[in-house]
Amino acid sequence: MEMSAARRWWILVVSMTAAITTTAAVNCTAFLLPQLIQGGLSPQRAGLFAAAAPAGLLLTTILWGVMIDRYGERRVLLISMAGAVVGLAAAVAAFAAHAPLYVAAVALFGASAMAASGNGASGRIVVGWFPASSRGTAMGIRQTSQPLGIALLSLTMPLLASRAGLTAAMLVPLAVAVVSVVLVWAFIVDPPRPETGPAAADARSNPYREDSFLVRIHAVSLLLVLPQGAIWTWGITWLIVGLHWAPATAGLLISASQLLGAGGRIAAGAWSDRLGSRTAPITWIALAAAASMAGLGALAAIGSPLAVVVLLIASVVTVADNGLAFTAIAERAGPFYSGRALGIQNTGQFAATTAAGPILGALIHATSFGAAFAIVALAPLLAYPLVPSDAKPADVPELPAEAPSLPQK
């Protein structure tokens, strides 16, 4: 039977819950930091704790990508999301038992390691079920799972942590993971792939041997994720610890910034559909990210209230490239290699995020929030000249322009 437009969009929504679970498992530690630091934990140790969850994702993302290429999206997502539920439940139990902080860190490491398939699998689902003419917009919507996940956590976790404790705060990512398991089981359908013939042979070839496109996109994305990670990990801590905002007020602002960022991703994807290019908008985003982070650092350093406005702008700009890079990678890598390629992409980005936590913590301790934010502005400047053209060489096969039909059962 044919895949209806309504069902295609519903599968997109369900795939987003898996990506939101990944986001929640990896980033939930950032929303425990204000309470931990106010309870006496040093910024350096807080940065190490925040790095535990991204480290878990870092070690397993490529392995999940290989499994997705081999076994398909649905089966892998079910195993991955169920494992995330177990890990997050263990973290809740650790906080409830007042265990040493490293016990919760180990549980969160395991939770994120299991949840790591969400980004790559959901990206492949979008590329597999949507035609090229709307793929950028669909991927932009899929990429809103990250800012939406951050918005949900920032709106709930700091407030729960301050009023009811860390255990109550950790119930939020656990609930997200449980919902995702149910929805994936009920609704996800694997996109069809060519199994025989010349198209299958072309699709199975290693895209990294064709040209430097994928390597350059990985490098650009690694640099552009640094300002994004700085805002996600330390933005709310700056508001609460540096500016002495109430946790509820800070959470509302960060939630608003993430919702704006979600809109920015959709707009960037639609822009790329109109241009017929995934990479051209990335060059402008890199320059805007550098300018916004430099402005945030300078204004925060002098104590200007405008710094909060620039934080909102930077929250939108620094996340706008993610969907474009994901779409470009999945399109170029093809249906038999995109799991691994997206796994490499996520690994590089989360390697940078993992390193950014403790490094920025040390920078903030040695200097100030403003100085640390300004230093991060150098990363997108370095990314700008590395952005490749997305014109394809003649021997690189195109993905279908129209969405495939749903296989007969």
Side-chain angles (χ1 to χ4, degrees):
M1 63 178 178
E2 294 291 325
M3 169 69 79
S4 68
R7 189 174 183 189
R8 186 186 307 153
W9 287 102
W10 176 242
I11 286 177
L12 168 60
V13 171
V14 173
S15 73
M16 288 174 62
T17 67
I20 288 173
T21 298
T22 305
T23 296
V26 172
N27 293 282
C28 62
T29 53
F31 300 97
L32 304 176
L33 295 187
Q35 191 74 10
L36 290 170
I37 290 174
Q38 289 177 337
L41 194 68
S42 70
Q44 297 97 316
R45 291 188 63 195
L48 290 173
F49 173 71
L57 182 145
L58 175 66
L59 293 181
T60 61
T61 298
I62 295 177
L63 175 60
W64 284 119
V66 173
M67 293 179 66
I68 293 166
D69 286 336
R70 183 170 299 177
Y71 300 111
E73 295 82 359
R74 174 185 164 82
R75 186 184 306 178
V76 170
L77 278 176
L78 282 173
I79 296 170
S80 176
M81 296 299 105
V85 169
V86 173
L88 290 167
V92 170
F95 283 117
H98 302 288
L101 191 59
Y102 71 83
V103 177
V106 170
L108 290 167
F109 175 91
S112 67
M114 290 303 299
S117 76
N119 286 334
S122 58
R124 277 174 52 111
I125 288 168
V126 170
V127 171
W129 283 123
F130 281 82
S133 59
S134 61
R135 201 173 284 149
T137 302
M139 187 68 84
I141 294 171
R142 207 277 331 162
Q143 287 295 103
T144 65
S145 58
Q146 289 181 307
L148 289 176
I150 296 294
L152 173 64
L153 298 186
S154 63
L155 189 62
T156 56
M157 289 188 68
L159 184 60
L160 286 171
S162 64
R163 294 188 178 180
L166 300 177
T167 303
M170 281 303 304
L171 291 174
V172 176
L174 176 59
V176 170
V178 171
V179 170
S180 178
V181 170
V182 174
L183 291 178
V184 167
W185 175 81
F187 297 108
I188 287 297
V189 178
D190 288 344
R193 297 185 289 178
E195 298 296 340
T196 59
D202 288 341
R204 291 180 188 274
S205 64
N206 187 340
Y208 289 92
R209 296 175 181 172
E210 303 289 345
D211 53 38
S212 64
F213 179 87
L214 290 175
V215 173
R216 291 178 66 177
I217 283 289
H218 293 324
V220 167
S221 298
L222 187 150
L223 289 168
L224 292 181
V225 82
L226 291 175
Q228 174 182 309
I231 290 176
W232 281 5
T233 303
W234 290 104
I236 194 165
T237 304
W238 170 60
L239 293 172
I240 295 173
V241 177
L243 300 184
H244 309 292
W245 282 32
T249 306
L252 284 171
L253 182 76
I254 295 299
S255 295
S257 74
Q258 295 304 310
L259 294 175
L260 291 171
R265 292 187 183 206
I266 297 170
W271 182 17
S272 76
D273 285 338
R274 289 195 299 271
L275 290 177
S277 170
R278 311 301 179 198
T279 61
I282 295 178
T283 59
W284 293 101
I285 291 169
L287 293 177
S292 61
M293 289 304 299
L296 173 61
L299 292 170
I302 64 174
S304 171
L306 291 176
V308 175
V309 177
V310 178
L311 175 69
L312 289 172
I313 296 171
S315 297
V316 175
V317 170
T318 58
V319 301
D321 66 287
N322 286 14
L324 302 175
F326 256 64
T327 309
I329 289 168
E331 288 178 334
R332 181 63 66 93
F336 291 100
Y337 228 96
S338 57
R340 278 162 282 189
L342 292 174
I344 293 169
Q345 170 78 355
N346 281 324
T347 298
Q349 288 190 302
F350 280 100
T353 301
T354 301
I359 290 172
L360 281 170
L363 278 174
I364 291 165
H365 181 73
T367 57
S368 65
F369 282 102
F373 291 150
I375 290 170
V376 172
L378 296 173
L381 283 181
L382 293 174
Y384 175 78
L386 296 177
V387 179
S389 166
D390 52 8
K392 290 189 176 184
D395 57 347
V396 175
E398 293 274 1
L399 283 171
E402 298 301 326
S405 297
L406 190 66
Q408 296 286 341
K409 296 217 182 221

